[in-house]
Amino acid sequence: MRHTLPIAPQFYVTAPQPCPYLAGRMERKLFTALQGEYAEKLNDVLSQQGFRRSQNVLYRPSCAECSACMSARVRVADFKPSKSQRRALNRNADLRREATSPWATEEQFALFRDYLEQRHSDGGMADMDIFEFAAMIEETPVRSRVIEYSAPAGTGSRELAAVCLTDVLEDGLSMVYSFFDPARASDSLGTYIIMDHIRIAQEAGLPYVYLGYWVPGSAKMGYKAKFGPLEIYKDGAWQDIGDPEAHKASMHPLSTAPIAEQVSQISLPDSQPIRG
């Protein structure tokens, strides 16, 4: 069935702010609201064009003089785990997965706070309170799941070890945000969560797992290139990443098209580009 939006969504640009990935650079984002009965279809179509979801907003980096951030996804059918990734699976074999509706709990928030304090104490989420956390988890107009991983805690009980907020797209799983017990950092829980999402996608017959943005030369984002074959959204199309070292963060006044041109090239669910 062909889906047609009754009204084309409006796109806006955020004010510049310090980039979390490249020191000394400023970032801005192109974004649109995600709401109404066509929210899922819009999420599907724009995710395929490099957009990401945050609550009820879809966004894509649109920096004035930089095009370093590129959306990344794993091609599930061709994925072959490395030795270190297989070790991560074995180290976490005691974990039990449970997929639930997007509902925030105090146990999730406690784990989230521990994760931030140990690993991202200076990040943009460092001051997030329980109400903001609940909004991050629960304010979703699309098909989302909270995937929890619990570990044995003795006397037959279990405790929360990791959580991932995941969107279910028509062509894959989109890992919106994940966090885990920092005390188990040596178990490579971050790697395990991605590996398990690849496994879920394989079982569901979905071709991709979307990992968010990859940035050449960024220590924070470099791990994503290890989940090959990885595709990146670059120059308006998905392509194999190839040699990650061959990509450079493009920083030039002409590296990014003007906003009006970017918007005119976006395709919507009716398969027609936006005019104007």
Side-chain angles (χ1 to χ4, degrees):
M1 179 181 296
R2 179 170 166 171
H3 296 264
T4 302
L5 295 178
I7 300 176
Q10 298 296 305
F11 288 84
Y12 308 90
V13 180
T14 62
Q17 56 185 341
C19 176
Y21 308 122
L22 298 172
R25 307 297 298 184
M26 301 297 287
E27 71 166 3
R28 66 180 185 180
K29 296 182 175 72
L30 179 67
F31 71 95
T32 188
L34 186 62
Q35 57 192 1
E37 62 178 312
Y38 294 92
E40 280 197 10
K41 190 62 181 176
L42 188 62
N43 192 32
D44 287 334
V45 171
L46 293 191
S47 292
Q48 294 166 9
Q49 297 172 72
F51 281 77
R52 294 280 290 169
R53 184 182 71 82
S54 177
Q55 294 173 232
N56 57 358
V57 168
L58 286 169
Y59 70 92
R60 187 173 73 185
S62 179
C63 302
E65 299 181 356
C66 178
S67 57
C69 294
M70 292 171 277
S71 188
R73 66 187 187 186
V74 181
R75 196 163 61 243
V76 170
D78 299 325
F79 175 75
K80 294 181 180 179
S82 65
K83 290 182 179 179
S84 63
Q85 290 167 345
R86 287 194 293 268
R87 287 196 294 270
L89 286 176
N90 293 334
R91 280 197 295 268
N92 294 285
D94 62 333
L95 296 184
R96 183 173 69 195
R97 179 214 306 151
E98 182 178 5
T100 69
S101 298
W103 185 257
T105 67
E106 292 184 2
E107 187 180 17
Q108 291 171 6
F109 182 66
L111 183 66
F112 174 73
R113 290 306 319 168
D114 287 344
Y115 174 78
L116 289 183
E117 289 169 9
Q118 293 294 322
R119 299 179 68 90
H120 301 286
S121 59
D122 59 347
M125 293 183 172
D127 297 326
M128 186 178 287
D129 61 28
I130 191 168
F131 301 105
E132 293 168 320
F133 174 77
M136 180 180 75
I137 297 293
E138 298 174 9
E139 289 185 8
T140 169
V142 299
R143 188 183 176 193
S144 302
R145 296 289 184 271
V146 171
I147 300 182
E148 297 183 337
Y149 300 90
S150 61
T155 64
S157 63
R158 302 186 70 86
E159 62 183 10
L160 194 61
V163 176
C164 188
L165 175 62
T166 304
D167 285 353
V168 183
L169 306 175
E170 65 178 0
D171 68 345
L173 302 177
S174 177
M175 299 177 64
V176 177
Y177 191 76
S178 63
F179 52 94
F180 53 84
D181 183 355
R184 293 187 57 146
S186 61
D187 292 337
S188 303
L189 269 175
T191 294
Y192 175 79
I193 295 170
I194 295 175
M195 296 283 289
D196 191 60
H197 275 68
I198 293 172
R199 181 162 50 192
I200 295 171
Q202 289 172 335
E203 294 170 351
L206 296 171
Y208 302 109
V209 172
Y210 290 79
L211 301 182
Y213 293 107
W214 175 74
V215 182
S218 169
K220 292 182 179 179
M221 295 296 176
Y223 72 92
K224 297 180 182 181
K226 298 178 181 179
F227 293 88
L230 193 75
E231 296 181 358
I232 54 174
Y233 191 79
K234 184 177 183 180
D235 299 328
W238 290 99
Q239 55 187 270
D240 286 334
I241 190 173
D243 179 7
E245 298 298 325
H247 297 273
K248 304 297 180 183
S250 181
M251 298 179 190
H252 187 275
L254 302 181
S255 65
T256 304
I259 294 298
E261 183 177 334
Q262 291 183 47
V263 172
S264 70
Q265 294 173 350
I266 295 172
S267 295
L268 294 177
D270 64 354
S271 300
Q272 296 297 320
I274 300 173
R275 302 301 181 189

